[in-house]
Amino acid sequence: MTESQSESPSEPESTPSRRALIGWGGAGLALGAAAAGGAVAMTRTGDDIAPTAAEAGAAVDFHGAHQAGIATPVQDRLHFAAFDVTTDDRAAFVRMLKDWTLAARRMTAGAAVGEGAYGGLAEAPPDDTGEALGLKPSRLTLTIGFGPSLFEKFDLADRRPEALVDLPQFAGDNLDRNRSGGDLCVQACADDPQVAVHAIRNLARIGFGKVVIKWSQLGFGKTSSTTPDAQTPRNLMGFKDGTRNIAGTETGRLKKFVWVDEKDGPGWMTGGSYLVARRIRMHIETWDRTSLQEQEDIFGRDKGEGAPVGKAKERDEPFLKAMLPDAHVRLAHPESNHGATILRRGYSFTDGTDGLGRLDAGLFFLAYQRDVREGFIRIQRNLALDSLNEYIQHVGSAVFAVPPGVRDQDDWWGSTLFSGEA
Amino acid sequence: MRPSRLTAITATAAVAALTALTGCTEKSSGGSGDRVIDVTATDSKCEVSKKEFPAGHVELAIENKGSKVTEVYILFPDDRIVTERENIGPGTKQKVTAEVKAGDYTIACKPGMKGDGIRQAVKATGGGTVAKRDPRLDAAVAAYRKYAQQQADETLPKTQVFADAVKDGDIEAAKKAYAPSRIGWERTEPVAESFGDIDPKVDVRADGLEAGQKWTGWHRLEKSLWQDKKITAEDKTLADQLITDLKDWQKRVGKAEITPTSMANGAKELLDEVATGKVTGEEERYSHTDLVDFKANVEGAEESYELLKPVAKENDPALVAELDKQFAALNALLDKYRADKTSYDFTSYDKVGDAERKELSDGVNALAEPLSKLAAAVATKSS
């Protein structure tokens, strides 16, 4: 494992084993979040490990200082679910979190929930729903987050992190209440969609009586990678997305922009992060009728190579002043936002049609950051003038405090919030 | 569990996983051995380890040593199915349990899952009733049978009021008598449905009709009263027919096969009825009296549960605590939709908004999920 340091890493021509697909466009955000402060050590070690692991259907370790599913190499598929709490019994809710942890630990390792999906008592329903039998772990990660509204319950008001702010209304927002918010969330990512759906389904079942699903979202085709792949994924607008996203191996940038530091407070969030989820509808029919020149002007990159305006290669450093003042990349870039940098992990979605003969499609934007005020909010406010806004609309929104990782077999999701000192 | 994924499992999980695998065949220990019959199925044979066993709880430990997927049945002399297990793959083991009374039975293996199968005549010996069951469970079954009979007995006069109003051509009186006439049926629906021929005559909806089936029963009359707003000569005939069919139910209800586990799962089925029919407003799409059915379904489930509770509480106190809590919560939620707690006069379901419907649906799920575990808490232990 060597680290080759360079400002514009050469691209390996190998491993197109990953579908370079439609990813999510940072529709709200940020194609080219270049490293703040210029030169960054880009660790290339993750490059071909990810595809190999994916091909092997390997398991991702559930335990660690941080939750898996954030800096983890981005998997191909997503099932994201937001839940509302229906019980006022704190002990019952904590018990459910522990039950969820047990189930998550088993499922991420590729095992079935509880006593399995068959072979038990004939008169009783099996513990596990069964549709993942025989499937590989598929790099399943399960990541939990706690929404602002959770802190209005269970006497948690004084434990709500300052950085977990309610998102303000942004220009152009058209939010559907039924696709927004939630007391808690679970992000399930896997290379096999059936494995991701199985995980959410079984957690929902364990949750009945304590929590109910408020809304959920399926996603495909990662739009931002955390592995500087040979192939940068493309969003549904056809543009490469996440060229300069934070890589899972960039320990320095992760520490600076993603993980909550001990001195940030509150103590229970140390090693955690904050997640912003936005369902961004793309008006793809009108986008597809837009001239190539306009499309490239809007993004500030060319469509084929993904090179910034006036540059030749995708990974060339963007020269912002060469772009139009309202170009998406220019407005989303850290240099335009006091260095604000977020880790993007979005997915494309296509949820049938909208009754008007148009695809209900777009980007399910997911971004992790150390402080929502310094990250998403700062960037999204700057995107008010984004020329891309003519083709997108934010229709769902949620924000969550993502606690630190589950340390070991005895630890559980949310233990620092529910049992630690403030 | 996923054996092919064992490699990825941690040591602890692997142990648990293996236990789950071997758990498919229970150890025949401590005097329960005579209740376990080993069934060895191949593509041409169906061997049983014993041809006589005591009546009561019986367990088939099945191993498919053949090359085809097979099914194993226990059949009554008239080929009515006592219990069955399908899709037993080559080289796999499965177990199936049943409560059988003394008498003659057939064990049949069906390699390739077709035909009459390879058959073995077996005999359950002993007294005329299920042996060695917890007497409290016997009492629960007896009490529930009585309850089911009582519901049928009380339904007839109430439905007669409804039928008479239809025959008098009195739309308003018929509308008033409609929902109350259905309560007893809705409370004991799983028992009523166990006679496969009655339910399609009295409780079928337009979308449930089979090709060529004549639409009869409550919902056909519901449509006349609320949607067509007129009573035809045909409707008057249908009213008489409804009474005839319900008398058939009343006569047969006492013969229904009822066991503690069928009571428990019947309770869960009543909640399923609510979840798929009432919450959506599909059941009473013309009259919008869905909440009356809803309440009756919950009452029937609660009756089963209360009768099984003493035994369930010993085996799974946490489950009983959860069920008590969720029954109370759902009943409290339903009470929001009636002014008088002693009447069945509920809010018309077309006045119940989407958010309220979701709240009702969430309440049903919160109760039905633990209710699905009640059977396991009253199943006769074989070890």
Side-chain angles (χ1 to χ4, degrees):
Chain A
M1 304 286 261
T2 58
E3 291 196 3
S4 66
Q5 296 200 357
S6 83
E7 286 196 38
S8 51
S10 60
E11 297 192 39
E13 293 298 325
S14 59
T15 60
S17 59
R18 275 198 160 304
R19 297 167 301 136
L21 9 134
I22 22 187
W24 312 90
L29 291 167
L31 283 158
V40 168
M42 294 279 279
T43 319
R44 308 287 302 163
T45 44
D47 271 14
D48 38 13
I49 291 169
T52 318
E55 283 158 12
V60 174
D61 191 2
F62 178 69
H63 302 106
H66 312 294
Q67 286 194 71
I70 302 171
T72 309
V74 185
Q75 307 89 328
D76 287 341
R77 304 289 185 141
L78 168 82
H79 192 187
F80 188 95
F83 296 84
D84 274 340
V85 173
T86 54
T87 182
D88 48 15
D89 180 343
R90 178 173 165 142
F93 182 68
V94 166
R95 206 161 45 241
M96 184 206 78
L97 289 174
K98 291 177 177 175
D99 290 345
W100 268 14
T101 308
L102 286 175
R105 188 178 278 129
R106 288 185 62 84
M107 291 190 289
T108 51
V113 173
E115 299 286 307
Y118 60 89
L121 192 70
E123 296 89 344
D127 289 346
D128 186 283
T129 54
E131 73 272 28
L133 287 174
L135 299 177
K136 295 183 172 131
S138 308
R139 294 193 300 159
L140 172 69
T141 55
L142 293 166
T143 314
I144 199 168
F146 301 129
S149 50
L150 183 73
F151 295 87
E152 294 160 18
K153 301 173 180 171
F154 306 129
D155 296 326
L156 293 171
D158 59 343
R159 314 211 47 162
R160 177 172 169 175
E162 234 178 275
L164 183 67
V165 292
D166 292 307
L167 294 179
Q169 174 87 14
F170 295 103
D173 276 3
N174 182 22
L175 304 181
D176 176 351
R177 282 182 43 248
N178 295 320
R179 291 193 191 268
S180 299
D183 292 341
L184 63 160
C185 72
V186 177
Q187 169 195 283
C189 298
D191 292 319
D192 184 331
Q194 186 135 323
V195 169
V197 170
H198 169 264
I200 293 296
R201 176 180 171 190
N202 281 267
L203 294 179
R205 192 177 160 205
I206 291 167
F208 280 131
K210 282 78 71 179
V211 296
V212 293
I213 289 197
K214 185 178 193 202
W215 56 270
S216 70
Q217 181 68 55
L218 282 171
F220 63 91
K222 62 176 191 200
T223 55
S224 300
S225 79
T226 51
T227 44
D229 285 325
Q231 291 269 29
T232 303
R234 290 178 185 269
N235 60 32
L236 285 186
M237 290 176 151
F239 278 75
K240 289 185 181 177
D241 191 1
T243 298
R244 300 305 298 274
N245 197 22
I246 301 175
T249 46
E250 293 181 276
T251 327
R253 283 218 293 166
L254 288 168
K255 187 170 160 38
K256 185 171 179 184
F257 297 114
V258 178
W259 307 129
V260 176
D261 191 84
E262 204 172 350
K263 66 175 191 293
D264 298 344
W268 71 266
M269 275 295 289
T270 304
S273 189
Y274 294 95
L275 167 63
V276 171
R278 305 278 285 182
R279 187 173 191 269
I280 302 167
R281 174 86 188 266
M282 292 176 179
H283 306 309
I284 56 172
E285 290 78 8
T286 54
W287 174 256
D288 295 341
R289 293 193 279 266
T290 304
S291 74
L292 177 61
Q293 185 63 56
E294 190 185 336
Q295 288 187 16
E296 294 183 337
D297 285 348
I298 286 171
F299 270 103
R301 286 182 179 269
D302 82 88
K303 201 162 187 176
E305 165 64 25
V309 174
K311 298 294 176 92
K313 289 285 179 198
E314 180 196 345
R315 294 180 190 279
D316 290 350
E317 195 61 41
F319 179 56
L320 300 184
K321 290 196 169 65
M323 300 176 185
L324 293 176
D326 59 359
H328 177 72
V329 168
R330 180 169 178 172
L331 292 171
H333 197 278
E335 277 177 36
S336 310
N337 295 287
H338 304 279
T341 305
I342 52 184
L343 185 152
R344 284 159 298 135
R345 223 177 183 282
Y347 287 83
S348 293
F349 69 83
T350 306
D351 294 336
T353 51
D354 67 356
L356 298 170
R358 306 178 302 185
L359 283 184
D360 179 4
L363 165 71
F364 189 66
F365 171 86
L366 293 167
Y368 287 89
Q369 59 244 286
R370 186 170 161 183
D371 188 321
V372 179
R373 296 162 299 187
E374 299 304 315
F376 177 78
I377 292 177
R378 193 181 278 273
I379 298 167
Q380 187 59 21
R381 282 217 166 108
N382 204 44
L383 288 174
L385 303 171
D386 189 355
S387 53
L388 187 60
N389 292 343
E390 190 183 334
Y391 300 97
I392 61 173
Q393 187 175 54
H394 288 235
V395 294
S397 175
V399 60
F400 302 97
V402 176
V406 176
R407 289 182 309 273
D408 52 37
Q409 295 285 341
D410 300 321
D411 196 12
W412 44 279
W413 265 340
S415 62
T416 56
L417 171 59
F418 284 92
S419 62
E421 295 73 53
Chain B
M1 65 143 324
R2 291 173 255 174
S4 66
R5 307 174 65 188
L6 268 175
T7 45
I9 306 176
T10 57
T12 341
V15 172
L18 289 168
T19 316
L21 271 181
T22 52
C24 297
T25 50
E26 278 195 35
K27 292 191 294 292
S28 39
S29 62
S32 65
D34 56 353
R35 305 206 163 273
V36 179
I37 304 165
D38 296 319
V39 178
T40 310
T42 67
D43 294 351
S44 58
K45 289 206 181 85
C46 184
E47 292 171 344
V48 297
S49 60
K50 53 175 80 78
K51 301 217 170 182
E52 280 201 1
F53 46 87
H57 185 80
V58 59
E59 181 178 304
L60 302 187
I62 304 158
E63 183 170 8
N64 183 1
K65 292 189 171 175
S67 65
K68 296 177 182 168
V69 178
T70 193
E71 312 177 327
V72 175
Y73 290 79
I74 303 180
L75 301 167
F76 285 110
D78 64 352
D79 270 9
R80 194 152 55 96
I81 298 166
V82 180
T83 184
E84 63 174 324
R85 182 48 68 90
E86 302 176 348
N87 283 315
I88 306 166
T92 64
K93 294 178 179 181
Q94 292 274 322
K95 75 173 178 190
V96 53
T97 59
E99 300 282 339
V100 296
K101 295 179 176 165
D104 294 320
Y105 296 91
T106 301
I107 292 178
C109 307
K110 296 191 181 179
M113 313 214 323
K114 338 189 251 282
D116 287 343
I118 306 157
R119 295 177 166 230
Q120 293 275 13
V122 295
K123 186 188 278 285
T125 57
T129 54
V130 175
K132 285 196 189 171
R133 189 157 71 196
D134 185 327
R136 289 173 304 170
L137 290 174
D138 283 331
V141 170
Y144 186 72
R145 192 183 296 286
K146 197 167 146 191
Y147 171 78
Q149 186 65 59
Q150 184 192 3
Q151 296 307 311
D153 294 346
E154 288 173 7
T155 295
L156 262 297
K158 286 181 181 160
T159 311
Q160 195 63 58
V161 173
F162 171 67
D164 290 345
V166 171
K167 289 195 289 187
D168 293 344
D170 187 340
I171 291 184
E172 284 315 306
K175 279 183 171 181
K176 215 169 129 217
Y178 171 77
S181 75
R182 292 175 43 75
I183 290 172
W185 173 270
E186 289 288 335
R187 281 176 182 156
T188 57
E189 209 161 358
V191 178
E193 284 176 351
S194 71
F195 314 111
D197 55 336
I198 300 176
D199 182 71
K201 291 182 199 163
V202 304
D203 196 31
V204 69
R205 305 193 311 239
D207 51 304
L209 293 168
E210 296 189 12
Q213 183 188 345
K214 182 171 183 258
W215 191 11
T216 58
W218 271 302
H219 293 301
R220 177 66 196 82
L221 293 166
E222 178 204 3
K223 179 171 184 285
S224 294
L225 297 170
W226 274 275
Q227 172 129 323
D228 307 340
K229 299 184 172 59
K230 59 175 189 286
I231 294 171
T232 63
E234 166 74 356
D235 291 333
K236 295 177 183 184
T237 316
L238 288 175
D240 278 333
Q241 183 61 48
L242 177 61
I243 296 292
T244 308
D245 292 334
L246 290 176
K247 279 183 176 158
D248 184 28
W249 164 53
Q250 182 189 19
K251 211 163 58 236
R252 287 156 71 185
V253 79
K255 299 190 184 68
E257 283 285 334
I258 301 175
T259 64
T261 50
S262 79
M263 277 171 65
N265 282 329
K268 180 211 62 112
E269 283 163 30
L270 281 164
L271 270 290
D272 292 346
E273 293 273 345
V274 175
T276 54
K278 280 75 175 189
V279 164
T280 58
E282 289 170 69
E283 180 81 9
E284 305 289 2
R285 62 189 60 181
Y286 314 110
S287 67
H288 306 301
T289 55
D290 302 85
L291 288 177
V292 183
D293 296 358
F294 191 144
K295 179 67 183 174
N297 286 157
V298 174
E299 285 176 335
E302 203 162 4
E303 177 74 21
S304 280
Y305 166 60
E306 289 296 337
L307 290 170
L308 296 169
K309 194 152 111 175
V311 175
K313 196 167 183 167
E314 279 174 21
N315 293 330
D316 196 342
L319 178 69
V320 166
E322 180 70 11
L323 286 169
D324 283 343
K325 185 168 131 185
Q326 298 299 350
F327 266 116
L330 189 56
N331 281 322
L333 192 56
L334 281 168
D335 281 342
K336 284 168 46 179
Y337 297 92
R338 58 176 176 179
D340 173 3
K341 307 283 177 283
T342 61
S343 94
Y344 282 81
D345 210 0
F346 282 87
T347 306
S348 180
Y349 206 57
D350 55 344
K351 303 281 188 288
V352 178
D354 287 346
E356 285 94 359
R357 289 184 183 203
K358 179 172 187 291
E359 189 182 28
L360 287 163
S361 174
D362 290 339
V364 170
N365 281 330
L367 172 58
E369 188 63 33
L371 200 53
S372 73
K373 299 183 168 74
L374 181 60
V378 297
T380 312
K381 301 277 189 296
S382 62
S383 53

